[in-house]
Amino acid sequence: FDVTIYSDEIGFRKPRSEIFNYALLMLGVSAGEAVMVGDDFESDVKGALNIGMKAIYLSDSEEVNYKFTVRSLMDAFKIIGEWI
């Protein structure tokens, strides 16, 4: 990974926008250029969507009806490939 971010080091936890904005700053990209792949719908997906990022939900659950839900990272890479 080019950047790793730990909430205890920066003082904010997902879904707070500050942690996502910090990650974007460290990567040098805008929200519209980034994709969050996460396994927690509330913290990862909603947090990313709230600041304008694209988001992919990695889950085996059928509990959440979200268009970009995948069961594997390979499936996530396929979606990202379609977006770029």
Side-chain angles (χ1 to χ4, degrees):
F1 297 99
D2 294 334
V3 175
T4 55
I5 298 164
Y6 301 95
S7 60
D8 62 330
E9 292 176 2
I10 65 167
F12 299 104
R13 296 180 59 95
K14 296 178 288 183
R16 298 259 317 250
S17 63
E18 291 90 344
I19 195 165
F20 291 97
N21 287 323
Y22 182 79
L24 296 170
L25 178 68
M26 294 290 94
L27 291 166
V29 298
S30 70
E33 297 172 298
V35 177
M36 170 65 174
V37 179
D39 63 354
D40 185 304
F41 191 78
E42 292 298 317
S43 295
D44 298 333
V45 174
K46 284 188 175 180
L49 293 173
N50 283 340
I51 67 158
M53 293 174 67
K54 292 181 177 88
I56 297 172
Y57 183 40
L58 181 62
S59 176
D60 287 333
S61 171
E62 295 181 15
E63 215 170 278
V64 175
N65 184 14
Y66 178 65
K67 181 178 181 177
F68 301 110
T69 300
V70 297
R71 298 197 188 285
S72 72
L73 285 176
M74 290 305 294
D75 291 337
F77 292 140
K78 290 175 189 173
I79 292 172
I80 293 168
E82 293 170 8
W83 286 342
I84 57 173

Coordinates of all heavy atoms in Angstrom, one line a residue:
F1 N 0.8 -1.2 0.0 CA 0.0 0.0 0.0 C 0.9 1.2 0.0 O 1.9 1.3 0.7 CB -0.9 0.0 1.2 CG -1.9 -1.1 1.2 CD1 -1.7 -2.3 2.0 CD2 -3.0 -1.1 0.5 CE1 -2.5 -3.3 2.0 CE2 -3.9 -2.1 0.5 CZ -3.7 -3.2 1.2
D2 N 0.5 2.2 -0.8 CA 1.2 3.5 -0.8 C 1.1 4.3 0.5 O 2.0 5.0 0.9 CB 0.8 4.3 -2.0 CG 1.1 3.7 -3.3 OD1 2.1 2.9 -3.4 OD2 0.4 4.0 -4.3
V3 N -0.1 4.2 1.1 CA -0.4 4.9 2.3 C -1.2 4.0 3.2 O -2.1 3.3 2.8 CB -1.3 6.2 1.9 CG1 -1.7 6.9 3.2 CG2 -0.5 7.1 1.0
T4 N -0.9 4.1 4.5 CA -1.7 3.4 5.5 C -2.0 4.5 6.6 O -1.2 5.3 6.9 CB -1.0 2.2 6.2 OG1 0.3 2.7 6.7 CG2 -0.7 1.1 5.2
I5 N -3.3 4.4 7.0 CA -3.8 5.5 7.9 C -4.5 4.7 9.1 O -5.3 3.8 8.9 CB -4.7 6.4 7.2 CG1 -4.0 7.1 6.1 CG2 -5.3 7.4 8.2 CD1 -4.9 7.8 5.1
Y6 N -4.1 5.1 10.3 CA -4.7 4.5 11.5 C -5.4 5.6 12.2 O -4.9 6.7 12.6 CB -3.6 3.9 12.3 CG -2.8 2.9 11.6 CD1 -1.6 3.2 10.9 CD2 -3.3 1.6 11.5 CE1 -0.9 2.2 10.2 CE2 -2.6 0.6 10.8 CZ -1.4 0.9 10.1 OH -0.8 0.0 9.4
S7 N -6.7 5.3 12.6 CA -7.5 6.3 13.2 C -6.9 6.8 14.5 O -7.1 8.0 14.9 CB -8.9 5.8 13.4 OG -8.9 4.6 14.2
D8 N -6.3 5.9 15.3 CA -5.7 6.3 16.6 C -4.6 7.3 16.4 O -4.2 8.1 17.3 CB -5.3 5.1 17.4 CG -4.2 4.3 16.8 OD1 -4.2 4.2 15.5 OD2 -3.5 3.7 17.5
E9 N -3.9 7.3 15.2 CA -2.8 8.2 15.0 C -3.3 9.6 14.6 O -2.6 10.6 14.8 CB -1.9 7.7 13.9 CG -1.1 6.4 14.4 CD -0.3 5.8 13.4 OE1 -0.2 6.4 12.2 OE2 0.4 4.8 13.7
I10 N -4.5 9.7 13.9 CA -4.9 11.0 13.4 C -6.1 11.5 14.2 O -6.5 12.7 14.1 CB -5.2 11.0 11.9 CG1 -6.4 10.1 11.6 CG2 -4.0 10.7 11.1 CD1 -6.9 10.4 10.2
G11 N -6.7 10.7 15.1 CA -7.7 11.2 16.0 C -9.1 11.2 15.4 O -10.0 11.7 16.0
F12 N -9.4 10.6 14.3 CA -10.7 10.5 13.7 C -10.9 9.0 13.2 O -10.1 8.4 12.7 CB -10.9 11.4 12.5 CG -10.7 12.9 12.8 CD1 -9.5 13.5 12.5 CD2 -11.7 13.6 13.5 CE1 -9.4 14.9 12.8 CE2 -11.5 14.9 13.8 CZ -10.4 15.5 13.5
R13 N -12.2 8.6 13.4 CA -12.6 7.3 12.9 C -13.6 7.4 11.8 O -14.3 8.4 11.7 CB -13.2 6.5 14.1 CG -12.2 6.2 15.2 CD -12.9 5.4 16.3 NE -13.4 4.2 15.8 CZ -12.7 3.0 15.9 NH1 -11.6 3.0 16.5 NH2 -13.3 1.9 15.5
K14 N -13.6 6.4 10.9 CA -14.7 6.3 9.9 C -16.0 6.2 10.6 O -16.1 5.6 11.7 CB -14.5 5.1 9.0 CG -13.2 5.2 8.2 CD -13.0 4.0 7.3 CE -12.6 2.8 8.2 NZ -12.4 1.6 7.5
P15 N -17.0 6.8 10.2 CA -17.3 7.5 8.9 C -17.0 9.0 8.8 O -17.4 9.6 7.9 CB -18.7 7.2 8.6 CG -19.3 7.2 10.0 CD -18.3 6.7 10.9
R16 N -16.3 9.5 9.8 CA -16.0 10.9 9.8 C -15.2 11.3 8.6 O -14.3 10.6 8.1 CB -15.2 11.3 11.1 CG -15.8 11.1 12.4 CD -16.4 12.3 13.1 NE -15.6 13.5 13.0 CZ -15.1 14.0 14.1 NH1 -15.1 13.4 15.3 NH2 -14.4 15.1 14.0
S17 N -15.6 12.4 8.0 CA -15.0 12.9 6.7 C -13.5 13.2 6.9 O -12.8 13.1 5.9 CB -15.8 14.1 6.2 OG -15.6 15.2 7.1
E18 N -13.1 13.6 8.1 CA -11.7 14.0 8.3 C -10.7 12.8 7.9 O -9.7 13.1 7.3 CB -11.5 14.4 9.7 CG -12.1 15.7 10.1 CD -13.5 15.6 10.6 OE1 -14.1 14.5 10.5 OE2 -14.0 16.5 11.2
I19 N -11.1 11.6 8.3 CA -10.2 10.5 8.0 C -10.1 10.2 6.5 O -9.0 9.9 5.9 CB -10.5 9.2 8.8 CG1 -9.3 8.3 8.7 CG2 -11.8 8.6 8.3 CD1 -9.4 7.2 9.8
F20 N -11.2 10.4 5.8 CA -11.2 10.2 4.3 C -10.4 11.3 3.6 O -9.6 11.1 2.7 CB -12.6 10.1 3.8 CG -13.3 8.8 4.2 CD1 -14.2 8.8 5.3 CD2 -13.2 7.7 3.5 CE1 -14.9 7.7 5.6 CE2 -13.8 6.5 3.8 CZ -14.7 6.5 4.9
N21 N -10.7 12.5 4.1 CA -10.0 13.7 3.5 C -8.5 13.6 3.8 O -7.7 14.0 2.9 CB -10.5 15.0 4.1 CG -11.9 15.3 3.5 OD1 -12.1 15.0 2.3 ND2 -12.8 15.8 4.3
Y22 N -8.1 13.1 4.9 CA -6.6 12.9 5.2 C -6.0 11.9 4.3 O -4.9 12.1 3.7 CB -6.5 12.5 6.7 CG -5.0 12.3 7.1 CD1 -4.3 13.5 7.4 CD2 -4.4 11.1 7.2 CE1 -2.9 13.3 7.8 CE2 -3.1 10.9 7.5 CZ -2.4 12.1 7.8 OH -1.0 11.9 8.2
A23 N -6.7 10.8 4.0 CA -6.2 9.8 3.1 C -6.1 10.4 1.7 O -5.1 10.1 1.0 CB -7.2 8.6 3.1
L24 N -7.1 11.2 1.3 CA -7.0 11.8 0.0 C -5.8 12.7 -0.1 O -5.1 12.7 -1.1 CB -8.3 12.5 -0.4 CG -9.5 11.7 -0.5 CD1 -10.8 12.6 -0.6 CD2 -9.4 10.7 -1.7
L25 N -5.6 13.5 0.9 CA -4.4 14.4 1.0 C -3.1 13.6 0.9 O -2.2 14.0 0.1 CB -4.5 15.2 2.3 CG -3.3 16.2 2.5 CD1 -3.4 17.3 1.5 CD2 -3.4 16.7 3.9
M26 N -3.0 12.6 1.6 CA -1.8 11.8 1.6 C -1.5 11.1 0.2 O -0.4 10.9 -0.2 CB -1.8 10.7 2.7 CG -1.8 11.2 4.1 SD -0.2 11.9 4.6 CE -0.5 13.6 4.3
L27 N -2.6 10.8 -0.5 CA -2.5 10.2 -1.8 C -2.4 11.2 -2.9 O -2.0 10.9 -4.0 CB -3.7 9.3 -2.1 CG -3.7 8.0 -1.2 CD1 -5.1 7.3 -1.3 CD2 -2.6 7.0 -1.7
G28 N -2.7 12.5 -2.6 CA -2.6 13.5 -3.6 C -3.7 13.4 -4.7 O -3.4 13.7 -5.8
V29 N -4.9 13.0 -4.3 CA -6.0 12.8 -5.2 C -7.2 13.5 -4.7 O -7.3 13.7 -3.5 CB -6.3 11.3 -5.6 CG1 -5.1 10.7 -6.2 CG2 -6.7 10.6 -4.4
S30 N -8.2 13.8 -5.6 CA -9.4 14.3 -5.1 C -10.4 13.2 -4.8 O -10.2 12.0 -5.2 CB -10.0 15.2 -6.2 OG -10.4 14.4 -7.3
A31 N -11.5 13.5 -4.2 CA -12.5 12.5 -3.8 C -13.0 11.8 -5.1 O -13.3 10.6 -5.1 CB -13.7 13.1 -3.0
G32 N -13.2 12.6 -6.2 CA -13.7 12.0 -7.4 C -12.8 11.1 -8.1 O -13.2 10.4 -9.0
E33 N -11.5 11.1 -7.7 CA -10.5 10.2 -8.3 C -10.2 8.9 -7.5 O -9.4 8.1 -7.8 CB -9.2 10.9 -8.4 CG -9.2 12.2 -9.3 CD -7.9 13.0 -9.3 OE1 -7.6 13.5 -8.2 OE2 -7.3 13.1 -10.3
A34 N -10.9 8.8 -6.3 CA -10.6 7.7 -5.4 C -11.8 6.8 -5.3 O -13.0 7.1 -5.5 CB -10.3 8.3 -4.0
V35 N -11.5 5.5 -4.9 CA -12.5 4.5 -4.7 C -12.2 3.9 -3.3 O -11.0 3.5 -3.0 CB -12.4 3.4 -5.7 CG1 -13.4 2.3 -5.4 CG2 -12.7 4.0 -7.1
M36 N -13.2 3.8 -2.5 CA -13.1 3.1 -1.2 C -13.6 1.7 -1.4 O -14.8 1.5 -1.8 CB -13.9 3.8 -0.1 CG -14.0 3.1 1.2 SD -12.4 2.9 2.0 CE -12.9 2.2 3.5
V37 N -12.9 0.7 -1.0 CA -13.4 -0.7 -1.0 C -13.4 -1.1 0.5 O -12.3 -1.1 1.1 CB -12.5 -1.7 -1.8 CG1 -13.0 -3.1 -1.7 CG2 -12.4 -1.2 -3.3
G38 N -14.6 -1.4 1.0 CA -14.6 -1.7 2.4 C -15.7 -2.7 2.8 O -16.6 -2.9 2.0
D39 N -15.5 -3.3 3.9 CA -16.4 -4.4 4.4 C -17.4 -3.9 5.5 O -18.1 -4.7 6.0 CB -15.6 -5.6 4.8 CG -14.8 -5.3 6.0 OD1 -14.7 -4.1 6.5 OD2 -14.2 -6.3 6.6
D40 N -17.4 -2.6 5.8 CA -18.4 -2.1 6.7 C -19.2 -1.0 6.0 O -18.7 0.0 5.6 CB -17.6 -1.5 7.9 CG -18.6 -1.0 9.0 OD1 -19.5 -0.2 8.7 OD2 -18.4 -1.4 10.1
F41 N -20.5 -1.4 5.8 CA -21.3 -0.5 4.9 C -21.4 0.9 5.5 O -21.3 1.9 4.9 CB -22.7 -1.1 4.7 CG -23.4 -0.3 3.6 CD1 -23.1 -0.5 2.3 CD2 -24.4 0.6 4.0 CE1 -23.8 0.2 1.3 CE2 -25.1 1.3 3.0 CZ -24.8 1.1 1.7
E42 N -21.7 1.0 6.8 CA -21.9 2.3 7.5 C -20.7 3.1 7.5 O -20.7 4.3 7.2 CB -22.5 2.1 8.9 CG -23.9 1.5 8.9 CD -24.9 2.4 8.3 OE1 -24.9 3.6 8.5 OE2 -25.8 1.9 7.6
S43 N -19.6 2.5 8.0 CA -18.3 3.3 8.1 C -17.6 3.5 6.8 O -17.1 4.6 6.5 CB -17.4 2.6 9.1 OG -18.0 2.6 10.4
D44 N -17.4 2.5 6.1 CA -16.6 2.5 4.9 C -17.3 3.1 3.7 O -16.9 4.1 3.1 CB -16.1 1.2 4.5 CG -15.2 0.5 5.5 OD1 -14.5 1.3 6.3 OD2 -15.1 -0.7 5.6
V45 N -18.4 2.5 3.3 CA -19.1 2.9 2.1 C -19.8 4.3 2.3 O -19.6 5.2 1.5 CB -20.1 1.8 1.7 CG1 -21.0 2.3 0.5 CG2 -19.4 0.5 1.3
K46 N -20.7 4.4 3.3 CA -21.4 5.6 3.5 C -20.4 6.8 3.8 O -20.6 7.9 3.3 CB -22.4 5.5 4.6 CG -23.6 4.8 4.2 CD -24.7 4.9 5.3 CE -26.0 4.2 4.9 NZ -27.0 4.3 6.0
G47 N -19.4 6.5 4.5 CA -18.4 7.6 4.8 C -17.7 8.1 3.5 O -17.6 9.3 3.3
A48 N -17.4 7.2 2.7 CA -16.7 7.6 1.4 C -17.7 8.3 0.5 O -17.4 9.3 -0.1 CB -16.2 6.3 0.7
L49 N -18.9 7.8 0.4 CA -20.0 8.4 -0.5 C -20.3 9.8 0.0 O -20.5 10.7 -0.8 CB -21.2 7.5 -0.5 CG -21.1 6.2 -1.2 CD1 -22.4 5.4 -1.0 CD2 -20.8 6.3 -2.7
N50 N -20.3 10.0 1.3 CA -20.6 11.3 1.9 C -19.7 12.4 1.5 O -20.0 13.6 1.5 CB -20.7 11.3 3.4 CG -22.0 10.6 3.8 OD1 -23.0 10.5 3.1 ND2 -22.0 10.1 5.1
I51 N -18.4 12.1 1.1 CA -17.5 13.1 0.7 C -17.2 13.1 -0.8 O -16.4 13.8 -1.3 CB -16.1 13.0 1.4 CG1 -15.4 11.8 1.1 CG2 -16.4 13.2 2.9 CD1 -13.9 11.9 1.4
G52 N -18.0 12.3 -1.6 CA -17.9 12.3 -3.0 C -17.0 11.2 -3.6 O -16.7 11.3 -4.8
M53 N -16.6 10.3 -2.8 CA -15.8 9.2 -3.4 C -16.7 8.1 -3.9 O -17.9 8.0 -3.6 CB -14.9 8.5 -2.3 CG -13.9 9.4 -1.7 SD -13.0 8.6 -0.3 CE -12.2 7.2 -1.1
K54 N -16.2 7.3 -4.8 CA -16.9 6.1 -5.2 C -16.6 5.0 -4.1 O -15.6 5.1 -3.5 CB -16.4 5.6 -6.6 CG -16.8 6.5 -7.7 CD -16.2 5.9 -9.0 CE -16.6 6.8 -10.2 NZ -15.7 7.8 -10.5
A55 N -17.5 4.1 -4.0 CA -17.4 3.1 -3.0 C -17.9 1.7 -3.4 O -18.9 1.6 -4.1 CB -18.1 3.5 -1.7
I56 N -17.1 0.7 -3.0 CA -17.5 -0.7 -3.3 C -17.6 -1.4 -2.0 O -16.7 -1.3 -1.1 CB -16.4 -1.4 -4.2 CG1 -16.4 -0.7 -5.6 CG2 -16.7 -2.9 -4.4 CD1 -15.3 -1.1 -6.5
Y57 N -18.7 -2.1 -1.8 CA -19.0 -2.9 -0.6 C -18.5 -4.3 -0.7 O -19.1 -5.0 -1.6 CB -20.4 -2.8 -0.2 CG -20.9 -3.4 1.0 CD1 -20.1 -3.3 2.2 CD2 -22.1 -4.1 1.1 CE1 -20.5 -3.9 3.4 CE2 -22.5 -4.7 2.3 CZ -21.7 -4.6 3.4 OH -22.2 -5.1 4.6
L58 N -17.6 -4.8 0.1 CA -17.1 -6.1 0.0 C -17.8 -6.9 1.1 O -17.6 -6.7 2.3 CB -15.6 -6.1 0.3 CG -14.8 -7.4 0.3 CD1 -14.9 -8.1 -1.1 CD2 -13.4 -7.2 0.7
S59 N -18.7 -7.8 0.6 CA -19.6 -8.5 1.6 C -20.2 -9.8 1.0 O -20.5 -9.8 -0.2 CB -20.7 -7.6 2.1 OG -21.6 -8.3 2.9
D60 N -20.4 -10.8 1.9 CA -21.1 -12.0 1.5 C -22.6 -11.9 1.9 O -23.4 -12.7 1.5 CB -20.5 -13.2 2.2 CG -19.2 -13.6 1.6 OD1 -18.9 -13.3 0.4 OD2 -18.4 -14.2 2.4
S61 N -22.9 -10.8 2.6 CA -24.3 -10.6 3.1 C -25.2 -10.1 2.0 O -24.8 -9.3 1.2 CB -24.2 -9.6 4.3 OG -25.5 -9.3 4.7
E62 N -26.4 -10.5 2.1 CA -27.4 -9.9 1.2 C -28.3 -9.0 2.0 O -29.3 -8.5 1.5 CB -28.2 -11.1 0.6 CG -27.4 -12.0 -0.3 CD -28.2 -13.1 -0.9 OE1 -29.4 -13.0 -0.9 OE2 -27.5 -14.0 -1.4
E63 N -27.9 -8.6 3.1 CA -28.6 -7.7 4.0 C -28.7 -6.3 3.4 O -29.7 -5.6 3.6 CB -27.8 -7.6 5.3 CG -28.7 -7.5 6.5 CD -27.8 -7.6 7.8 OE1 -27.5 -8.8 8.1 OE2 -27.4 -6.6 8.3
V64 N -27.7 -5.8 2.8 CA -27.7 -4.5 2.2 C -27.8 -4.5 0.7 O -27.1 -5.3 0.0 CB -26.3 -3.8 2.5 CG1 -26.2 -2.4 1.9 CG2 -26.1 -3.6 4.0
N65 N -28.8 -3.8 0.2 CA -29.0 -3.7 -1.3 C -28.3 -2.5 -1.8 O -28.8 -1.4 -1.8 CB -30.5 -3.6 -1.6 CG -30.8 -3.7 -3.0 OD1 -30.0 -4.0 -3.8 ND2 -32.0 -3.3 -3.4
Y66 N -27.1 -2.8 -2.3 CA -26.2 -1.7 -2.8 C -25.7 -2.2 -4.2 O -25.1 -3.3 -4.3 CB -25.1 -1.4 -1.8 CG -24.1 -0.4 -2.3 CD1 -24.5 1.0 -2.5 CD2 -22.8 -0.7 -2.5 CE1 -23.6 1.9 -2.9 CE2 -21.9 0.3 -2.9 CZ -22.3 1.6 -3.1 OH -21.4 2.5 -3.6
K67 N -25.8 -1.3 -5.1 CA -25.4 -1.7 -6.5 C -24.0 -2.2 -6.7 O -23.7 -3.2 -7.4 CB -25.6 -0.5 -7.4 CG -25.3 -0.7 -8.9 CD -25.5 0.5 -9.7 CE -25.3 0.3 -11.2 NZ -25.6 1.4 -12.0
F68 N -23.1 -1.7 -5.9 CA -21.7 -2.1 -6.1 C -21.2 -2.9 -4.9 O -20.2 -2.6 -4.2 CB -20.8 -0.8 -6.2 CG -21.2 0.0 -7.4 CD1 -21.8 1.2 -7.2 CD2 -21.0 -0.4 -8.7 CE1 -22.1 2.0 -8.3 CE2 -21.4 0.3 -9.8 CZ -21.9 1.5 -9.6
T69 N -21.9 -4.1 -4.7 CA -21.5 -5.0 -3.7 C -20.8 -6.2 -4.4 O -21.3 -6.7 -5.4 CB -22.8 -5.6 -2.9 OG1 -23.4 -4.5 -2.3 CG2 -22.4 -6.6 -1.9
V70 N -19.7 -6.6 -3.9 CA -18.9 -7.7 -4.4 C -18.5 -8.7 -3.3 O -18.6 -8.3 -2.1 CB -17.6 -7.1 -5.1 CG1 -17.9 -6.2 -6.3 CG2 -16.7 -6.4 -4.1
R71 N -18.2 -9.8 -3.8 CA -17.8 -10.9 -2.8 C -16.3 -11.1 -2.7 O -15.8 -11.8 -1.8 CB -18.5 -12.2 -3.2 CG -20.0 -12.1 -3.1 CD -20.6 -13.4 -3.1 NE -22.1 -13.4 -3.2 CZ -22.9 -13.0 -2.3 NH1 -22.4 -12.6 -1.1 NH2 -24.2 -13.0 -2.5
S72 N -15.5 -10.5 -3.6 CA -14.1 -10.7 -3.6 C -13.4 -9.4 -4.1 O -14.0 -8.6 -4.8 CB -13.7 -11.8 -4.5 OG -13.8 -11.5 -5.9
L73 N -12.1 -9.3 -3.8 CA -11.3 -8.2 -4.3 C -11.2 -8.2 -5.8 O -11.2 -7.2 -6.5 CB -10.0 -8.1 -3.6 CG -10.0 -7.6 -2.2 CD1 -8.5 -7.7 -1.6 CD2 -10.5 -6.2 -2.1
M74 N -11.1 -9.4 -6.4 CA -11.1 -9.5 -7.8 C -12.3 -8.9 -8.5 O -12.2 -8.2 -9.5 CB -10.9 -11.0 -8.3 CG -9.5 -11.6 -7.9 SD -8.1 -10.6 -8.6 CE -8.3 -10.8 -10.3
D75 N -13.4 -9.1 -7.9 CA -14.7 -8.5 -8.4 C -14.6 -7.0 -8.3 O -15.1 -6.2 -9.1 CB -15.9 -9.0 -7.7 CG -16.2 -10.5 -8.1 OD1 -15.7 -11.0 -9.1 OD2 -16.8 -11.2 -7.3
A76 N -14.0 -6.5 -7.2 CA -13.9 -5.1 -7.0 C -13.0 -4.5 -8.0 O -13.3 -3.4 -8.6 CB -13.3 -4.8 -5.6
F77 N -11.9 -5.2 -8.3 CA -11.0 -4.7 -9.4 C -11.7 -4.6 -10.7 O -11.4 -3.7 -11.5 CB -9.7 -5.6 -9.5 CG -8.8 -5.5 -8.3 CD1 -8.3 -6.7 -7.8 CD2 -8.6 -4.3 -7.6 CE1 -7.4 -6.6 -6.7 CE2 -7.7 -4.3 -6.5 CZ -7.2 -5.4 -6.1
K78 N -12.6 -5.5 -11.0 CA -13.3 -5.5 -12.3 C -14.2 -4.2 -12.4 O -14.2 -3.5 -13.4 CB -14.2 -6.7 -12.4 CG -13.5 -8.0 -12.7 CD -14.4 -9.2 -12.7 CE -13.6 -10.5 -12.7 NZ -14.5 -11.6 -12.6
I79 N -14.8 -3.8 -11.3 CA -15.7 -2.6 -11.3 C -14.8 -1.4 -11.4 O -15.1 -0.5 -12.2 CB -16.5 -2.5 -10.0 CG1 -17.6 -3.6 -10.0 CG2 -17.1 -1.1 -9.8 CD1 -18.3 -3.8 -8.6
I80 N -13.7 -1.4 -10.7 CA -12.8 -0.2 -10.7 C -12.2 -0.1 -12.2 O -12.2 1.0 -12.7 CB -11.6 -0.4 -9.7 CG1 -12.1 -0.3 -8.3 CG2 -10.5 0.7 -10.0 CD1 -11.2 -0.7 -7.2
G81 N -11.9 -1.2 -12.8 CA -11.5 -1.2 -14.2 C -12.5 -0.6 -15.2 O -12.2 0.1 -16.1
E82 N -13.8 -0.8 -14.9 CA -14.8 -0.2 -15.7 C -15.0 1.3 -15.4 O -15.4 2.1 -16.3 CB -16.2 -0.9 -15.4 CG -16.2 -2.3 -15.8 CD -17.5 -3.0 -15.3 OE1 -18.4 -2.4 -14.7 OE2 -17.5 -4.3 -15.5
W83 N -14.6 1.7 -14.2 CA -14.7 3.2 -13.9 C -13.6 4.0 -14.4 O -13.7 5.2 -14.6 CB -14.8 3.3 -12.4 CG -16.1 2.9 -11.7 CD1 -17.3 2.8 -12.4 CD2 -16.3 2.7 -10.4 NE1 -18.3 2.4 -11.5 CE2 -17.7 2.4 -10.2 CE3 -15.5 2.7 -9.2 CZ2 -18.3 2.1 -9.0 CZ3 -16.1 2.4 -8.0 CH2 -17.5 2.0 -7.9
I84 N -12.4 3.4 -14.7 CA -11.3 4.2 -15.1 C -11.1 4.1 -16.6 O -11.7 3.4 -17.3 CB -10.0 3.8 -14.4 CG1 -9.6 2.3 -14.6 CG2 -10.0 4.1 -13.0 CD1 -8.3 1.9 -14.0

